[in-house]
mmCIF file of all heavy atoms in Angstrom:
data_model
loop_
_atom_site.group_PDB
_atom_site.id
_atom_site.type_symbol
_atom_site.label_atom_id
_atom_site.label_comp_id
_atom_site.label_asym_id
_atom_site.label_seq_id
_atom_site.Cartn_x
_atom_site.Cartn_y
_atom_site.Cartn_z
ATOM 1 N N GLY A 1 -6.715 -33.626 4.514
ATOM 2 C CA GLY A 1 -6.059 -32.517 5.232
ATOM 3 C C GLY A 1 -6.939 -31.349 5.244
ATOM 4 O O GLY A 1 -6.814 -30.457 6.150
ATOM 5 N N LEU A 2 -7.893 -31.222 4.327
ATOM 6 C CA LEU A 2 -8.831 -30.101 4.328
ATOM 7 C C LEU A 2 -10.035 -30.317 5.199
ATOM 8 O O LEU A 2 -10.924 -29.447 5.294
ATOM 9 C CB LEU A 2 -9.287 -29.864 2.857
ATOM 10 C CG LEU A 2 -8.290 -29.288 1.886
ATOM 11 C CD1 LEU A 2 -8.785 -29.345 0.501
ATOM 12 C CD2 LEU A 2 -7.856 -27.841 2.259
ATOM 13 N N GLY A 3 -10.052 -31.452 5.897
ATOM 14 C CA GLY A 3 -11.238 -31.737 6.719
ATOM 15 C C GLY A 3 -12.269 -32.587 6.107
ATOM 16 O O GLY A 3 -13.368 -32.692 6.613
ATOM 17 N N GLY A 4 -11.915 -33.217 4.999
ATOM 18 C CA GLY A 4 -12.928 -34.106 4.274
ATOM 19 C C GLY A 4 -13.643 -33.426 3.212
ATOM 20 O O GLY A 4 -13.705 -32.174 3.169
ATOM 21 N N LYS A 5 -14.198 -34.172 2.285
ATOM 22 C CA LYS A 5 -14.799 -33.586 1.087
ATOM 23 C C LYS A 5 -16.068 -32.718 1.476
ATOM 24 O O LYS A 5 -16.351 -31.768 0.678
ATOM 25 C CB LYS A 5 -15.202 -34.649 0.069
ATOM 26 C CG LYS A 5 -16.275 -35.637 0.587
ATOM 27 C CD LYS A 5 -16.580 -36.683 -0.487
ATOM 28 C CE LYS A 5 -17.694 -37.619 -0.003
ATOM 29 N NZ LYS A 5 -17.969 -38.698 -1.016
ATOM 30 N N ASP A 6 -16.696 -32.976 2.486
ATOM 31 C CA ASP A 6 -17.868 -32.231 2.942
ATOM 32 C C ASP A 6 -17.487 -30.884 3.444
ATOM 33 O O ASP A 6 -18.378 -29.960 3.606
ATOM 34 C CB ASP A 6 -18.667 -32.944 4.008
ATOM 35 C CG ASP A 6 -19.346 -34.235 3.466
ATOM 36 O OD1 ASP A 6 -19.542 -34.314 2.276
ATOM 37 O OD2 ASP A 6 -19.580 -35.197 4.231
ATOM 38 N N ASN A 7 -16.172 -30.683 3.769
ATOM 39 C CA ASN A 7 -15.750 -29.401 4.254
ATOM 40 C C ASN A 7 -15.360 -28.444 3.133
ATOM 41 O O ASN A 7 -15.137 -27.238 3.353
ATOM 42 C CB ASN A 7 -14.551 -29.541 5.181
ATOM 43 C CG ASN A 7 -14.366 -28.376 6.084
ATOM 44 O OD1 ASN A 7 -15.311 -27.795 6.599
ATOM 45 N ND2 ASN A 7 -13.074 -28.061 6.430
ATOM 46 N N VAL A 8 -15.344 -28.980 1.918
ATOM 47 C CA VAL A 8 -14.955 -28.160 0.700
ATOM 48 C C VAL A 8 -16.221 -27.630 0.067
ATOM 49 O O VAL A 8 -17.011 -28.435 -0.444
ATOM 50 C CB VAL A 8 -14.101 -28.967 -0.261
ATOM 51 C CG1 VAL A 8 -13.759 -28.107 -1.503
ATOM 52 C CG2 VAL A 8 -12.867 -29.566 0.415
ATOM 53 N N LEU A 9 -16.383 -26.323 0.093
ATOM 54 C CA LEU A 9 -17.603 -25.741 -0.497
ATOM 55 C C LEU A 9 -17.422 -25.395 -1.927
ATOM 56 O O LEU A 9 -18.362 -25.558 -2.746
ATOM 57 C CB LEU A 9 -18.003 -24.461 0.343
ATOM 58 C CG LEU A 9 -18.234 -24.654 1.771
ATOM 59 C CD1 LEU A 9 -18.539 -23.313 2.524
ATOM 60 C CD2 LEU A 9 -19.404 -25.636 2.039
ATOM 61 N N GLU A 10 -16.254 -24.833 -2.296
ATOM 62 C CA GLU A 10 -15.953 -24.475 -3.676
ATOM 63 C C GLU A 10 -14.538 -24.905 -3.983
ATOM 64 O O GLU A 10 -13.680 -24.872 -3.109
ATOM 65 C CB GLU A 10 -16.120 -22.980 -3.904
ATOM 66 C CG GLU A 10 -17.552 -22.431 -3.766
ATOM 67 C CD GLU A 10 -17.638 -20.961 -3.982
ATOM 68 O OE1 GLU A 10 -16.658 -20.399 -4.579
ATOM 69 O OE2 GLU A 10 -18.715 -20.389 -3.671
ATOM 70 N N LEU A 11 -14.299 -25.272 -5.233
ATOM 71 C CA LEU A 11 -12.972 -25.790 -5.593
ATOM 72 C C LEU A 11 -12.659 -25.188 -6.989
ATOM 73 O O LEU A 11 -13.434 -25.328 -7.930
ATOM 74 C CB LEU A 11 -12.934 -27.275 -5.657
ATOM 75 C CG LEU A 11 -11.680 -27.943 -6.188
ATOM 76 C CD1 LEU A 11 -10.505 -27.582 -5.341
ATOM 77 C CD2 LEU A 11 -11.873 -29.460 -6.285
ATOM 78 N N ASP A 12 -11.476 -24.603 -7.084
ATOM 79 C CA ASP A 12 -10.990 -24.039 -8.368
ATOM 80 C C ASP A 12 -9.465 -24.056 -8.387
ATOM 81 O O ASP A 12 -8.875 -24.487 -7.334
ATOM 82 C CB ASP A 12 -11.512 -22.648 -8.634
ATOM 83 C CG ASP A 12 -11.539 -22.218 -10.113
ATOM 84 O OD1 ASP A 12 -10.947 -23.036 -10.912
ATOM 85 O OD2 ASP A 12 -12.153 -21.239 -10.464
ATOM 86 N N ASN A 13 -8.839 -23.752 -9.444
ATOM 87 C CA ASN A 13 -7.379 -23.640 -9.431
ATOM 88 C C ASN A 13 -6.892 -22.574 -10.392
ATOM 89 O O ASN A 13 -7.589 -22.159 -11.298
ATOM 90 C CB ASN A 13 -6.789 -25.046 -9.878
ATOM 91 C CG ASN A 13 -7.008 -25.304 -11.302
ATOM 92 O OD1 ASN A 13 -8.092 -25.662 -11.736
ATOM 93 N ND2 ASN A 13 -5.998 -25.191 -12.164
ATOM 94 N N CYS A 14 -5.702 -22.087 -10.127
ATOM 95 C CA CYS A 14 -4.993 -21.187 -11.076
ATOM 96 C C CYS A 14 -3.787 -21.900 -11.621
ATOM 97 O O CYS A 14 -3.794 -23.108 -11.674
ATOM 98 C CB CYS A 14 -4.623 -19.876 -10.387
ATOM 99 S SG CYS A 14 -3.467 -20.018 -9.049
ATOM 100 N N ALA A 15 -2.740 -21.251 -11.950
ATOM 101 C CA ALA A 15 -1.680 -21.927 -12.699
ATOM 102 C C ALA A 15 -0.932 -22.931 -11.786
ATOM 103 O O ALA A 15 -0.447 -23.957 -12.282
ATOM 104 C CB ALA A 15 -0.698 -20.836 -13.123
ATOM 105 N N THR A 16 -0.815 -22.669 -10.503
ATOM 106 C CA THR A 16 -0.022 -23.497 -9.675
ATOM 107 C C THR A 16 -0.691 -23.804 -8.305
ATOM 108 O O THR A 16 -0.121 -24.536 -7.531
ATOM 109 C CB THR A 16 1.340 -22.877 -9.308
ATOM 110 O OG1 THR A 16 1.088 -21.594 -8.765
ATOM 111 C CG2 THR A 16 2.134 -22.659 -10.596
ATOM 112 N N ARG A 17 -1.860 -23.311 -8.063
ATOM 113 C CA ARG A 17 -2.483 -23.575 -6.732
ATOM 114 C C ARG A 17 -3.955 -23.906 -6.843
ATOM 115 O O ARG A 17 -4.687 -23.498 -7.757
ATOM 116 C CB ARG A 17 -2.242 -22.373 -5.857
ATOM 117 C CG ARG A 17 -2.982 -21.145 -6.268
ATOM 118 C CD ARG A 17 -2.740 -19.949 -5.369
ATOM 119 N NE ARG A 17 -1.556 -19.152 -5.875
ATOM 120 C CZ ARG A 17 -1.223 -17.990 -5.448
ATOM 121 N NH1 ARG A 17 -1.849 -17.477 -4.372
ATOM 122 N NH2 ARG A 17 -0.185 -17.332 -5.949
ATOM 123 N N LEU A 18 -4.369 -24.594 -5.785
ATOM 124 C CA LEU A 18 -5.812 -24.808 -5.626
ATOM 125 C C LEU A 18 -6.423 -23.720 -4.828
ATOM 126 O O LEU A 18 -5.842 -23.221 -3.827
ATOM 127 C CB LEU A 18 -6.010 -26.179 -4.799
ATOM 128 C CG LEU A 18 -5.501 -27.488 -5.452
ATOM 129 C CD1 LEU A 18 -5.401 -28.611 -4.401
ATOM 130 C CD2 LEU A 18 -6.380 -27.883 -6.619
ATOM 131 N N ARG A 19 -7.577 -23.219 -5.272
ATOM 132 C CA ARG A 19 -8.302 -22.125 -4.579
ATOM 133 C C ARG A 19 -9.633 -22.740 -4.105
ATOM 134 O O ARG A 19 -10.420 -23.247 -4.859
ATOM 135 C CB ARG A 19 -8.530 -21.004 -5.488
ATOM 136 C CG ARG A 19 -7.245 -20.280 -5.949
ATOM 137 C CD ARG A 19 -7.542 -19.334 -7.076
ATOM 138 N NE ARG A 19 -6.389 -18.531 -7.441
ATOM 139 C CZ ARG A 19 -6.120 -17.344 -7.045
ATOM 140 N NH1 ARG A 19 -6.995 -16.712 -6.283
ATOM 141 N NH2 ARG A 19 -5.065 -16.685 -7.510
ATOM 142 N N MET A 20 -9.879 -22.590 -2.722
ATOM 143 C CA MET A 20 -11.081 -23.224 -2.168
ATOM 144 C C MET A 20 -11.752 -22.323 -1.229
ATOM 145 O O MET A 20 -11.167 -21.436 -0.582
ATOM 146 C CB MET A 20 -10.674 -24.560 -1.506
ATOM 147 C CG MET A 20 -10.176 -25.633 -2.447
ATOM 148 S SD MET A 20 -9.100 -26.780 -1.648
ATOM 149 C CE MET A 20 -7.654 -25.807 -1.357
ATOM 150 N N GLU A 21 -13.063 -22.574 -1.084
ATOM 151 C CA GLU A 21 -13.833 -22.037 0.022
ATOM 152 C C GLU A 21 -14.114 -23.163 0.972
ATOM 153 O O GLU A 21 -14.702 -24.217 0.524
ATOM 154 C CB GLU A 21 -15.125 -21.334 -0.484
ATOM 155 C CG GLU A 21 -14.906 -20.063 -1.260
ATOM 156 C CD GLU A 21 -14.374 -18.947 -0.359
ATOM 157 O OE1 GLU A 21 -14.945 -18.731 0.723
ATOM 158 O OE2 GLU A 21 -13.359 -18.286 -0.762
ATOM 159 N N ILE A 22 -13.790 -23.046 2.216
ATOM 160 C CA ILE A 22 -13.918 -24.154 3.171
ATOM 161 C C ILE A 22 -14.999 -23.784 4.206
ATOM 162 O O ILE A 22 -15.034 -22.657 4.692
ATOM 163 C CB ILE A 22 -12.534 -24.346 3.945
ATOM 164 C CG1 ILE A 22 -11.509 -24.648 2.906
ATOM 165 C CG2 ILE A 22 -12.608 -25.445 4.925
ATOM 166 C CD1 ILE A 22 -11.739 -25.910 2.091
ATOM 167 N N ALA A 23 -15.775 -24.764 4.602
ATOM 168 C CA ALA A 23 -16.801 -24.529 5.581
ATOM 169 C C ALA A 23 -16.258 -24.202 6.958
ATOM 170 O O ALA A 23 -16.672 -23.289 7.594
ATOM 171 C CB ALA A 23 -17.743 -25.768 5.654
ATOM 172 N N ASP A 24 -15.243 -24.984 7.390
ATOM 173 C CA ASP A 24 -14.634 -24.798 8.689
ATOM 174 C C ASP A 24 -13.162 -24.805 8.529
ATOM 175 O O ASP A 24 -12.512 -25.844 8.450
ATOM 176 C CB ASP A 24 -15.095 -25.899 9.703
ATOM 177 C CG ASP A 24 -14.606 -25.619 11.115
ATOM 178 O OD1 ASP A 24 -13.811 -24.698 11.327
ATOM 179 O OD2 ASP A 24 -15.008 -26.425 11.993
ATOM 180 N N VAL A 25 -12.481 -23.626 8.486
ATOM 181 C CA VAL A 25 -11.134 -23.534 8.297
ATOM 182 C C VAL A 25 -10.308 -24.135 9.434
ATOM 183 O O VAL A 25 -9.193 -24.553 9.205
ATOM 184 C CB VAL A 25 -10.724 -21.994 8.107
ATOM 185 C CG1 VAL A 25 -9.182 -21.838 7.910
ATOM 186 C CG2 VAL A 25 -11.435 -21.400 6.901
ATOM 187 N N SER A 26 -10.857 -24.223 10.614
ATOM 188 C CA SER A 26 -10.143 -24.789 11.740
ATOM 189 C C SER A 26 -9.843 -26.248 11.518
ATOM 190 O O SER A 26 -8.903 -26.826 12.182
ATOM 191 C CB SER A 26 -10.906 -24.573 13.027
ATOM 192 O OG SER A 26 -12.099 -25.334 12.968
ATOM 193 N N LYS A 27 -10.526 -26.945 10.644
ATOM 194 C CA LYS A 27 -10.291 -28.314 10.377
ATOM 195 C C LYS A 27 -9.102 -28.595 9.397
ATOM 196 O O LYS A 27 -8.736 -29.750 9.191
ATOM 197 C CB LYS A 27 -11.530 -28.990 9.841
ATOM 198 C CG LYS A 27 -12.712 -29.059 10.769
ATOM 199 C CD LYS A 27 -13.896 -29.766 10.171
ATOM 200 C CE LYS A 27 -15.054 -29.818 11.147
ATOM 201 N NZ LYS A 27 -16.220 -30.525 10.553
ATOM 202 N N VAL A 28 -8.610 -27.493 8.786
ATOM 203 C CA VAL A 28 -7.533 -27.641 7.804
ATOM 204 C C VAL A 28 -6.224 -27.985 8.464
ATOM 205 O O VAL A 28 -5.779 -27.272 9.385
ATOM 206 C CB VAL A 28 -7.421 -26.371 6.964
ATOM 207 C CG1 VAL A 28 -6.217 -26.460 5.939
ATOM 208 C CG2 VAL A 28 -8.674 -26.062 6.213
ATOM 209 N N ASP A 29 -5.600 -29.094 8.083
ATOM 210 C CA ASP A 29 -4.349 -29.588 8.629
ATOM 211 C C ASP A 29 -3.196 -29.248 7.615
ATOM 212 O O ASP A 29 -3.016 -29.969 6.662
ATOM 213 C CB ASP A 29 -4.464 -31.043 8.937
ATOM 214 C CG ASP A 29 -3.210 -31.605 9.663
ATOM 215 O OD1 ASP A 29 -2.165 -30.932 9.644
ATOM 216 O OD2 ASP A 29 -3.342 -32.720 10.188
ATOM 217 N N ASP A 30 -2.514 -28.163 7.884
ATOM 218 C CA ASP A 30 -1.418 -27.701 6.964
ATOM 219 C C ASP A 30 -0.400 -28.800 6.798
ATOM 220 O O ASP A 30 0.113 -29.066 5.734
ATOM 221 C CB ASP A 30 -0.806 -26.448 7.490
ATOM 222 C CG ASP A 30 -1.776 -25.302 7.450
ATOM 223 O OD1 ASP A 30 -2.952 -25.505 7.304
ATOM 224 O OD2 ASP A 30 -1.293 -24.124 7.599
ATOM 225 N N VAL A 31 -0.032 -29.439 7.936
ATOM 226 C CA VAL A 31 1.045 -30.442 7.894
ATOM 227 C C VAL A 31 0.623 -31.603 6.991
ATOM 228 O O VAL A 31 1.474 -32.093 6.195
ATOM 229 C CB VAL A 31 1.381 -30.927 9.292
ATOM 230 C CG1 VAL A 31 2.458 -32.034 9.259
ATOM 231 C CG2 VAL A 31 1.937 -29.747 10.132
ATOM 232 N N ALA A 32 -0.586 -32.044 7.123
ATOM 233 C CA ALA A 32 -1.053 -33.173 6.356
ATOM 234 C C ALA A 32 -1.083 -32.872 4.843
ATOM 235 O O ALA A 32 -0.775 -33.677 4.055
ATOM 236 C CB ALA A 32 -2.456 -33.640 6.847
ATOM 237 N N ILE A 33 -1.465 -31.664 4.528
ATOM 238 C CA ILE A 33 -1.570 -31.249 3.175
ATOM 239 C C ILE A 33 -0.131 -31.173 2.560
ATOM 240 O O ILE A 33 0.081 -31.616 1.415
ATOM 241 C CB ILE A 33 -2.260 -29.853 3.070
ATOM 242 C CG1 ILE A 33 -3.714 -30.013 3.452
ATOM 243 C CG2 ILE A 33 -2.130 -29.353 1.600
ATOM 244 C CD1 ILE A 33 -4.507 -28.718 3.477
ATOM 245 N N ARG A 34 0.811 -30.648 3.340
ATOM 246 C CA ARG A 34 2.245 -30.606 2.841
ATOM 247 C C ARG A 34 2.750 -32.051 2.666
ATOM 248 O O ARG A 34 3.508 -32.367 1.723
ATOM 249 C CB ARG A 34 3.159 -29.803 3.783
ATOM 250 C CG ARG A 34 2.836 -28.342 3.751
ATOM 251 C CD ARG A 34 3.931 -27.623 4.528
ATOM 252 N NE ARG A 34 3.720 -26.157 4.492
ATOM 253 C CZ ARG A 34 3.134 -25.481 5.451
ATOM 254 N NH1 ARG A 34 2.649 -26.140 6.495
ATOM 255 N NH2 ARG A 34 2.988 -24.132 5.396
ATOM 256 N N ARG A 35 2.333 -32.907 3.617
ATOM 257 C CA ARG A 35 2.786 -34.275 3.489
ATOM 258 C C ARG A 35 2.325 -35.026 2.281
ATOM 259 O O ARG A 35 2.898 -35.928 1.727
ATOM 260 C CB ARG A 35 2.326 -35.066 4.762
ATOM 261 C CG ARG A 35 3.022 -36.449 4.932
ATOM 262 C CD ARG A 35 2.806 -36.975 6.370
ATOM 263 N NE ARG A 35 1.332 -37.098 6.684
ATOM 264 C CZ ARG A 35 0.772 -36.485 7.666
ATOM 265 N NH1 ARG A 35 1.491 -35.570 8.394
ATOM 266 N NH2 ARG A 35 -0.495 -36.608 7.899
ATOM 267 N N ALA A 36 1.179 -34.486 1.713
ATOM 268 C CA ALA A 36 0.600 -35.016 0.505
ATOM 269 C C ALA A 36 1.338 -34.598 -0.749
ATOM 270 O O ALA A 36 1.038 -35.062 -1.847
ATOM 271 C CB ALA A 36 -0.841 -34.694 0.429
ATOM 272 N N GLY A 37 2.270 -33.628 -0.614
ATOM 273 C CA GLY A 37 3.021 -33.191 -1.721
ATOM 274 C C GLY A 37 2.856 -31.728 -2.110
ATOM 275 O O GLY A 37 3.400 -31.288 -3.097
ATOM 276 N N ALA A 38 2.078 -31.039 -1.305
ATOM 277 C CA ALA A 38 1.874 -29.620 -1.596
ATOM 278 C C ALA A 38 3.061 -28.786 -1.108
ATOM 279 O O ALA A 38 3.745 -29.201 -0.131
ATOM 280 C CB ALA A 38 0.619 -29.114 -0.929
ATOM 281 N N ALA A 39 3.307 -27.672 -1.795
ATOM 282 C CA ALA A 39 4.404 -26.830 -1.344
ATOM 283 C C ALA A 39 4.076 -25.928 -0.212
ATOM 284 O O ALA A 39 5.043 -25.464 0.533
ATOM 285 C CB ALA A 39 4.869 -25.905 -2.546
ATOM 286 N N GLY A 40 2.824 -25.707 -0.006
ATOM 287 C CA GLY A 40 2.382 -24.791 1.096
ATOM 288 C C GLY A 40 0.923 -24.617 1.122
ATOM 289 O O GLY A 40 0.188 -24.989 0.211
ATOM 290 N N VAL A 41 0.460 -23.936 2.203
ATOM 291 C CA VAL A 41 -0.932 -23.640 2.408
ATOM 292 C C VAL A 41 -1.064 -22.211 2.823
ATOM 293 O O VAL A 41 -0.389 -21.762 3.646
ATOM 294 C CB VAL A 41 -1.585 -24.605 3.476
ATOM 295 C CG1 VAL A 41 -3.035 -24.237 3.682
ATOM 296 C CG2 VAL A 41 -1.417 -26.050 3.199
ATOM 297 N N MET A 42 -1.987 -21.481 2.163
ATOM 298 C CA MET A 42 -2.244 -20.082 2.461
ATOM 299 C C MET A 42 -3.695 -19.919 2.880
ATOM 300 O O MET A 42 -4.614 -20.565 2.326
ATOM 301 C CB MET A 42 -1.984 -19.242 1.274
ATOM 302 C CG MET A 42 -0.585 -19.208 0.752
ATOM 303 S SD MET A 42 0.601 -18.521 1.930
ATOM 304 C CE MET A 42 -0.070 -16.903 2.107
ATOM 305 N N LYS A 43 -3.907 -19.058 3.870
ATOM 306 C CA LYS A 43 -5.298 -18.735 4.368
ATOM 307 C C LYS A 43 -5.454 -17.198 4.320
ATOM 308 O O LYS A 43 -5.200 -16.529 5.324
ATOM 309 C CB LYS A 43 -5.461 -19.312 5.770
ATOM 310 C CG LYS A 43 -5.269 -20.805 5.877
ATOM 311 C CD LYS A 43 -5.348 -21.288 7.369
ATOM 312 C CE LYS A 43 -5.136 -22.781 7.406
ATOM 313 N NZ LYS A 43 -5.102 -23.293 8.785
ATOM 314 N N PRO A 44 -5.908 -16.684 3.110
ATOM 315 C CA PRO A 44 -6.009 -15.287 2.926
ATOM 316 C C PRO A 44 -6.986 -14.587 3.881
ATOM 317 O O PRO A 44 -6.904 -13.394 4.109
ATOM 318 C CB PRO A 44 -6.449 -15.176 1.441
ATOM 319 C CG PRO A 44 -6.095 -16.420 0.824
ATOM 320 C CD PRO A 44 -6.219 -17.455 1.917
ATOM 321 N N GLY A 45 -7.922 -15.369 4.427
ATOM 322 C CA GLY A 45 -8.902 -14.791 5.294
ATOM 323 C C GLY A 45 -10.293 -15.331 5.045
ATOM 324 O O GLY A 45 -10.572 -15.867 3.923
#
């Protein structure tokens, strides 16, 4: 849903969420990520 592993530049997490830097945000599929069991997707900018 994030566009493949090559699209993930950095990966970290806090208490309840994954925090990532993505090469191409337009490839992120919010629906697919929620379908995988996530509660939501945020794009701070």
Side-chain angles (χ1 to χ4, degrees):
L2 291 169
K5 64 181 183 180
D6 293 335
N7 200 37
V8 179
L9 302 178
E10 296 180 14
L11 173 62
D12 203 348
N13 71 285
C14 64
T16 56
R17 69 182 91 173
L18 299 165
R19 295 169 175 261
M20 293 154 292
E21 290 292 313
I22 302 297
D24 185 354
V25 178
S26 66
K27 294 182 178 180
V28 176
D29 186 342
D30 295 13
V31 175
I33 294 174
R34 288 191 181 93
R35 192 165 58 242
V41 179
M42 297 296 300
K43 299 174 182 176

